[in-house]
Amino acid sequence: MIDLESATRLCEILLGLALAQQSAEHLFMPMSDRRLFALRLLLGLLLAVGLWTTPVLGVLLLTSTWILARCDGPYNGGSDRVAVLMQICLLAVHLCRDLNAPLRWQEVAFGYLAIQIVLSYFMAGWVKIVNPQWRRGQALVDVFAFSAYPQSESLRGWTQWPRLLFVMSWAVMIFELVFPLALLRVDTLIVALVVAALFHTANALLFGLNRFVWVWLASYPALIWLQQQVF
Amino acid sequence: MLRYLLPALIPSWRFFDDVGPSPRVEYCLLADENAEPEWQPFQPQPEHIPLTQLFRRLVWNPARNESLYLLSSCEKILERDSLQAQQVIAGRIALALRSGELPPQARWFRFRLLVVEREGEALVRHEHFVSPAFGLDQSWGPIP
């Protein structure tokens, strides 16, 4: 069993490390504001070690919002959105604790995060399976053939195996659609989370989406907690 | 601020729902604003990345994450002619020229967006956007 306090703490450690990793990358990007990301690096580490969590989450959320405005949207797509979602929900949990609000309010805030992560898989599967290009396997062929996502030109060679890409397309769609069912039992959830982590890792290796790995992993304790609350 | 936070609080989760036209950035250096352009790709993808380097990029990939942001800026230009996105791409090219990442041989530059998409069995490229000329001495703030 994992209680609410342990689950939130695990999420904070993993999210803090993920934000520290991203911020460190920004220190080496020519266009980025190095002072801002040096601050976020420090805040990420403070979050990971559990010091002054409420104000740290507050300042992280403020700076995240500023970055969203400065970049006219997320810098890094879905991973930034999940990171901001986690900051909002974890801050809500801590504010409820600090203000001695009923435990139920903390559970609602944390549960909302878990439900959104479950939806992230299911909805991603749904929008693919209703698209005939995905059902035919053509979408994944096109991702490798001409999208800007493959990290190197040699990875475009995967288009030479359309049957493999067809199988991979259906594997991804089916996994994403049935993901919510994994919450019925804790052992199926653990297996599903391992598969999901491998899926994110594959995307990181092929398309350079490394931030997705660490941010989504940071949310997994919330799913384990939710499974034990509901089932 | 709410319009930036709401999509994070209530996300749509539409990942890779469609594979649309894919932008590529090219730039040209100009002796003056009216010179004929000779286009070159900006930050072309490497031909091959060894497996060990791919795994290292799991924990350290600043250049790639920046290029993904430039990609999203290209998409904003294609969707809605975003001036902010144009400034982002121009600023990054200017930085590359000034820092010696690219050889600066002129005082002006332009960039353009080519779009690669499928037409039947073939992949086609066509020019979708050409920027105004930017001076190398123009200043841009940090992003983000």
Side-chain angles (χ1 to χ4, degrees):
Chain A
M1 281 288 287
I2 186 168
D3 60 21
L4 179 66
E5 192 157 341
S6 302
T8 53
R9 191 67 203 103
L10 272 173
C11 281
E12 286 157 13
I13 291 170
L14 295 172
L15 178 65
L17 291 174
L19 293 176
Q21 181 271 332
Q22 296 177 7
S23 302
E25 283 186 345
H26 275 283
L27 295 178
F28 288 81
M29 290 182 191
M31 285 187 82
S32 291
D33 184 334
R34 289 192 171 89
R35 284 175 304 181
L36 170 66
F37 286 99
L39 172 64
R40 281 176 64 87
L41 171 58
L42 175 62
L43 292 171
L45 293 173
L46 288 173
L47 182 64
V49 301
L51 277 176
W52 310 308
T53 302
T54 307
V56 163
L57 280 168
V59 178
L60 272 171
L61 184 58
L62 274 173
T63 53
S64 294
T65 310
W66 191 89
I67 290 167
L68 285 171
R70 191 84 180 92
C71 296
D72 192 25
Y75 184 86
N76 209 251
S79 71
D80 282 4
R81 290 221 162 106
V82 170
V84 171
L85 174 66
M86 290 190 72
Q87 288 162 56
I88 293 172
C89 294
L90 290 170
L91 181 59
V93 168
H94 277 273
L95 287 173
C96 290
R97 266 184 218 162
D98 295 347
L99 298 171
N100 293 315
L103 181 64
R104 178 59 69 187
W105 292 21
Q106 296 180 45
E107 292 173 339
V108 166
F110 201 54
Y112 180 78
L113 167 63
I115 289 168
Q116 283 295 343
I117 298 303
V118 172
L119 282 175
S120 75
Y121 291 107
F122 179 78
M123 290 307 300
W126 178 255
V127 299
K128 291 184 182 81
I129 206 159
V130 297
N131 184 338
Q133 298 291 329
W134 270 101
R135 293 200 301 271
R136 284 204 300 268
Q138 185 62 46
L140 199 52
V141 169
D142 286 347
V143 166
F144 283 98
F146 68 83
S147 85
Y149 284 101
Q151 286 204 87
S152 70
E153 291 301 315
S154 63
L155 286 172
R156 300 197 186 279
W158 283 60
T159 55
Q160 294 173 23
W161 298 305
R163 284 192 199 144
L164 173 63
L165 294 180
F166 176 82
V167 169
M168 282 169 60
S169 300
W170 276 95
V172 168
M173 286 188 285
I174 291 170
F175 171 73
E176 288 177 331
L177 285 170
V178 304
F179 185 88
L181 296 177
L183 271 80
L184 291 174
R185 291 165 55 99
V186 67
D187 49 359
T188 54
L189 176 61
I190 299 299
V191 170
L193 292 179
V194 169
V195 172
L198 291 173
F199 165 70
H200 289 301
T201 303
N203 286 336
L205 292 173
L206 293 170
F207 308 132
L209 303 174
N210 66 321
R211 294 183 180 187
F212 281 66
V213 178
W214 309 118
V215 170
W216 253 267
L217 274 174
S219 70
Y220 288 174
L223 275 70
I224 298 171
W225 172 84
L226 180 70
Q227 190 280 329
Q228 291 171 351
Q229 297 301 305
V230 176
F231 298 99
Chain B
M1 288 300 147
L2 213 54
R3 78 179 178 104
Y4 294 115
L5 286 178
L6 273 180
L9 197 52
I10 312 170
S12 73
W13 302 128
R14 301 184 70 88
F15 293 126
F16 280 106
D17 57 338
D18 194 21
V19 184
S22 182
R24 303 287 189 274
V25 180
E26 292 189 345
Y27 75 100
C28 67
L29 300 169
L30 306 167
D32 61 70
E33 287 180 77
N34 300 311
E36 272 302 304
E38 287 182 24
W39 298 103
Q40 303 173 67
F42 180 67
Q43 292 184 340
Q45 295 285 54
E47 186 53 41
H48 177 70
I49 301 172
L51 198 59
T52 48
Q53 209 182 109
L54 283 180
F55 276 96
R56 267 206 299 276
R57 289 179 174 213
L58 278 176
V59 290
W60 191 253
N61 210 355
R64 178 60 177 167
N65 281 306
E66 185 188 64
S67 74
L68 288 171
Y69 177 56
L70 293 181
L71 174 63
S72 73
S73 297
C74 292
E75 288 166 353
K76 288 173 195 166
I77 295 174
L78 296 180
E79 284 164 14
R80 54 182 199 261
D81 260 342
S82 164
L83 285 175
Q84 185 265 357
Q86 292 176 38
Q87 290 291 313
V88 166
I89 295 174
R92 184 60 186 92
I93 295 173
L95 205 62
L97 289 167
R98 284 193 216 136
S99 68
E101 190 182 320
L102 301 172
Q105 289 149 1
R107 294 184 56 220
W108 301 86
F109 70 94
R110 288 181 192 272
F111 73 89
R112 70 176 180 177
L113 298 187
L114 297 181
V115 160
V116 184
E117 59 185 331
R118 182 174 291 284
E119 281 184 7
E121 292 298 315
L123 296 181
V124 296
R125 290 181 170 235
H126 53 89
E127 184 181 274
H128 187 93
F129 170 85
V130 181
S131 78
F134 292 95
L136 258 186
D137 54 6
Q138 188 173 330
S139 68
W140 283 271
I143 294 188

